[in-house]
Amino acid sequence: MKTTSFILDLNKAGIKDIEKVGGKNASLGEMLQNLSQIGIKIPNGFIITVDAYREFVRFNKLDKQIHKIINEINFDEIESLRRGGLAARQLLKNSKLPKELSQEIINKYYELSKSYNQDMTDVAVRSSATAEDLPNASFAGQQETYLNVRGPAQLMNAVRNCFASIFTDRAISYRQSFGYDHFKVGLSVCVQKMVRSDLGSSGVAFSIDTESGFKDVVVINGSYGLGEMIVQGSVSPDEFIVFKPALKKGFNSIIEKKLGVKDIMMVYGDDPDERVKVIPVEKSLQNRYCLKDEKIVQLADWVMKIEEYYSKVKGSWCPMDVEWAEDGLSKELFVVQARPETIHSQKNFTEIIEYNLENSEVFEKILKGIAVGDKIGAGKASILFSLDKRVSDGHEFNEGDVLVTDMTDPDWEPIMKKASAIITNKGGRTCHAAIVARELGVPAIVGCGNATELIENGQEITVSCCHGDEGIVYNGILNYKTTTTDISQFPKIKTSVMLNVASPNLAFRFSHLPNCGVGLAREEFIINNYIQAHPLALLKHKDIGDIELSDAINKMIHGFENEEDFFIQKLSYGIAKIAAAFYPNKVIVRFSDFKSNEYYNLLGGKYFEPNEENPMIGWRGASRYYSAEYYEAFGLECKAIKNVREVLGLKNVVVMIPFCRTVDELKKVYSVMEAYGLKRGENELEVFLMAEIPSNVILASEFAKYIDGFSIGSNDLTQLTLGLDRDSSLVAHIYNERNEAVKQMIKMLLNTAKICNVKVGICGQGPSDFPDFAQFLVESGIDSISVTPDSLLKTLKAIAEIEKSANIASSN
């Protein structure tokens, strides 16, 4: 028997060899040949080809037996699938490789060991099927991988087990679902030098946002030890997001860092019979990020270059799913696998489907976790801890049930296909449950912590992933509606329409909407949701003597150098995600505009806030920034803006000052900003002013000398023009942004601004709620209108009508 076609050096394979070496191995070989030369490190190895697998099956005369087993499976019954899969695997595991092939594999293993100056090196033995990593289906995790394999005996066992894994239950089910012929699919095996990530860290990286399909970021998940823990969902990994356009310009553009729950790790076993084992992670390591910033940037750069290379080879955009490992001995990064991403690269972004819950505020929120997808699902909870035994009465998992479990692995896929939604205690965005949920289009919430304890078996629940990164489980079946919008049908207009974006977690999804940037991003929303503590409480809690407050803050700042670093970085991340989503368009970020009663409700706020009779017209906006009491806290906001623009490279951020009563106040705010490194005009920094107080309109010509633009805050302008408290139900019937007095104020501002050659936009709620108000603004010569995303379509239609009637030619 000639074995020349059975063994191939990894660096001799390429994309053209998928039918010979499988998708995974073809990709590894392609990268070794073409990307090693630009510094991307990939461990070397060799491939046992599909021809070797077919020879193994022929040599042991297994064809007819396997055909019989597969043909007898009833794919509607999980037990039948499991029995058939087990029988097929046992056939292959109990068979022998031809002697010549075995010897050739062993010789190649010794050759690989010698190249690493070892007698018997540690290797990973990875399965690679010919029907995986294809553009229309990932087949991720369908076959097996064996880690820390050392010596000929372990190697030959691992190879046989890899051959057998072509008939895992999930692989059989998956092929059946996608219509692949079980007997035309071949399997190849890669024997690759191990990276000692058991002493370092490992994970997965995508060259695309896995939830929204936003193209301009690299999303990295990582944890300590060997990477199986992340794939299995046994840990909730750290998450890092890097902005590609700024990275290309040389900025360390890490726009998000989230600390995961990394309480266990997989390492090498202590004896030959225990190749790997799971151990606890030291508490001090759990509270640190698994990768340092320089490694995050290096890895993101590699992922970006891998995407660029494969896109060039393919001839069209090809986002990538990359597995990486950091060697704890050499401290070097390695790429150990790369495949095309198969979900969002297939998505049609001209159509937007929005899911909205009705009356969700009256329903009990049971728990929260990491949202996968943006859909809503509902049904009866079915709690499973294993495929063999269910909690409670032992009924079968029914079509439309909500699967609630600790975590899933590929064997669960036949059940996951029947679920209306999936909830897991463990896992992150790149765990098995998340990957399969995306492929199936099923809403999932992972990393919930204790879902199996808080949810009762048979309980009716609703799983909502329409809130951004955070998924929420509600008690009961909630009504919801879907809205489908074809972006290509949006009317083209001349007036600039921007978006009001409150949540950084939704920014990537909104980036696909037609827009001219962001007219209002509120810092207070980011502070309230990302930080949750009063800035002065962070800076001064040690002097207060409140032990509970200090304990809460000390837990908050895990992963950060100190309290100040925590505030600056977290605020930076929130701003940066919005700025990145709409880059290079302007993103106008308003400095914090909490009222004293709102600041009071932040953690530790009671120690620093006065009790005002009417906070709405009290100590807010500009008057805070230069005050002795708040000066230092405002400085943190300035440092965050400086970090976003100058370190992360997002110079499209424009700052806006709210509730500034006098020109003298504006000058005082500028003085504080400059003390903290922000000066209007330097590094292209623009400063806008909220026009929301009558004095802003009356003295517009004076204010205009010191700013780059006005943004009308119609909510406060209405309140102060009409002399009413917009929070008071007693006078709510008088509140009307379309009142003639308010409209006259707006016209006065627009006329003055035009004389002063200063741009005017509006970011209040009025244009979103009332299309006729948007029409009034267009007729009055507004430069830009900023609306909430859910109001975009009706606003565009209203503006298109008024432009048409006024014979305003479209510039688009």
Side-chain angles (χ1 to χ4, degrees), residues 37 56 74 114 130 219 233 239 266 278 337 381 387 398 410 419 448 485 575 665:
Q37 57 199 10
F56 169 71
N74 181 349
K114 186 177 179 181
T130 54
V219 179
E239 182 168 287
M266 183 180 284
V278 177
Q337 194 175 135
L387 292 176
N398 297 313
C448 295
T485 305
I575 295 169
E665 271 201 317

Side-chain angles (χ1 to χ4, degrees), residues 164-195:
S165 73
I166 198 169
F167 291 108
T168 57
D169 301 348
R170 70 263 193 179
I172 297 170
S173 174
Y174 216 65
R175 288 195 295 268
Q176 190 75 13
S177 298
F178 278 86
Y180 282 84
D181 189 323
H182 299 285
F183 308 103
K184 289 184 179 178
V185 174
L187 190 127
S188 166
V189 176
C190 178
V191 180
Q192 188 181 31
K193 178 69 175 79
M194 282 286 293
V195 177

Side-chain angles (χ1 to χ4, degrees), residues 266-476:
M266 183 180 284
V267 298
Y268 281 11
D270 296 324
D271 59 67
D273 295 327
E274 185 185 39
R275 292 182 295 103
V276 294
K277 64 179 181 179
V278 177
I279 63 171
V281 176
E282 294 177 23
K283 199 70 178 177
S284 60
L285 287 177
Q286 291 182 39
N287 295 331
R288 297 182 205 161
Y289 291 107
C290 68
L291 279 179
K292 293 185 177 179
D293 285 4
E294 59 265 28
K295 295 290 186 183
I296 296 169
V297 171
Q298 180 186 354
L299 179 57
D301 181 59
W302 284 7
V303 171
M304 192 167 62
K305 287 174 178 173
I306 291 170
E307 179 189 67
E308 289 171 353
Y309 176 79
Y310 276 86
S311 297
K312 184 177 180 181
V313 169
K314 182 182 175 184
S316 60
W317 177 54
C318 184
M320 298 298 291
D321 169 358
V322 175
E323 292 184 23
W324 60 271
E326 180 192 34
D327 194 302
L329 295 176
S330 68
K331 307 302 180 186
E332 292 179 303
L333 278 177
F334 291 87
V335 168
V336 296
Q337 194 175 135
R339 62 172 71 89
E341 191 275 345
T342 58
I343 306 300
H344 286 291
S345 55
Q346 308 296 314
K347 189 173 180 180
N348 177 13
F349 289 106
T350 63
E351 185 179 80
I352 296 174
I353 302 176
E354 295 177 276
Y355 291 77
N356 293 291
L357 286 171
E358 297 178 359
N359 301 319
S360 61
E361 64 278 356
V362 303
F363 285 80
E364 175 194 0
K365 293 179 182 178
I366 302 174
L367 55 85
K368 298 178 180 180
I370 300 169
V372 178
D374 55 7
K375 297 181 179 179
I376 299 170
K380 289 184 177 180
S382 184
I383 302 175
L384 284 84
F385 287 107
S386 77
L387 292 176
D388 299 312
K389 186 177 180 182
R390 252 191 73 169
V391 156
S392 80
D393 56 9
H395 289 314
E396 281 290 317
F397 186 91
N398 297 313
E399 189 85 30
D401 284 352
V402 177
L403 174 61
V404 184
T405 187
D406 195 46
M407 60 185 181
T408 68
D409 62 40
D411 287 335
W412 289 69
E413 288 174 22
I415 281 181
M416 297 168 79
K417 291 174 184 175
K418 299 165 69 175
S420 62
I422 298 165
I423 303 169
T424 66
N425 292 335
K426 299 178 181 178
R429 296 188 194 284
T430 51
C431 72
H432 175 267
I435 292 170
V436 174
R438 289 189 198 101
E439 289 195 3
L440 297 175
V442 174
I445 303 179
V446 300
C448 295
N450 56 349
T452 52
E453 297 174 19
L454 296 178
I455 297 172
E456 295 182 9
N457 201 57
Q459 180 179 0
E460 291 188 331
I461 57 176
T462 299
V463 176
S464 175
C465 296
C466 65
H467 312 280
D469 291 354
E470 186 176 70
I472 302 174
V473 180
Y474 294 90
N475 183 28

Side-chain angles (χ1 to χ4, degrees), residues 764-776:
Q765 191 62 28
S768 296
D769 291 340
F770 307 110
D772 62 311
F773 188 56
Q775 291 180 347
F776 154 73

Side-chain angles (χ1 to χ4, degrees), residues 101-112:
L101 176 58
S102 296
Q103 192 57 54
E104 185 68 19
I105 292 171
I106 292 169
N107 290 343
K108 205 68 179 174
Y109 168 71
Y110 281 128
E111 184 182 312
L112 178 66

Side-chain angles (χ1 to χ4, degrees), residues 471-530:
I472 302 174
V473 180
Y474 294 90
N475 183 28
I477 305 293
L478 280 68
N479 292 324
Y480 66 92
K481 62 180 181 180
T482 61
T483 305
T484 302
T485 305
D486 185 350
I487 293 178
S488 65
Q489 300 303 310
F490 277 30
K492 297 183 182 298
I493 59 174
K494 180 180 179 181
T495 305
S496 293
V497 174
M498 306 173 84
L499 296 177
N500 294 342
V501 179
S503 171
N505 295 333
L506 290 169
F508 292 167
R509 292 180 185 176
F510 294 151
S511 68
H512 302 298
L513 296 171
N515 67 85
C516 295
V518 173
L520 177 63
R522 300 176 177 91
E523 274 193 10
E524 55 268 22
F525 185 96
I526 301 169
I527 294 170
N528 200 40
N529 289 275
Y530 268 49

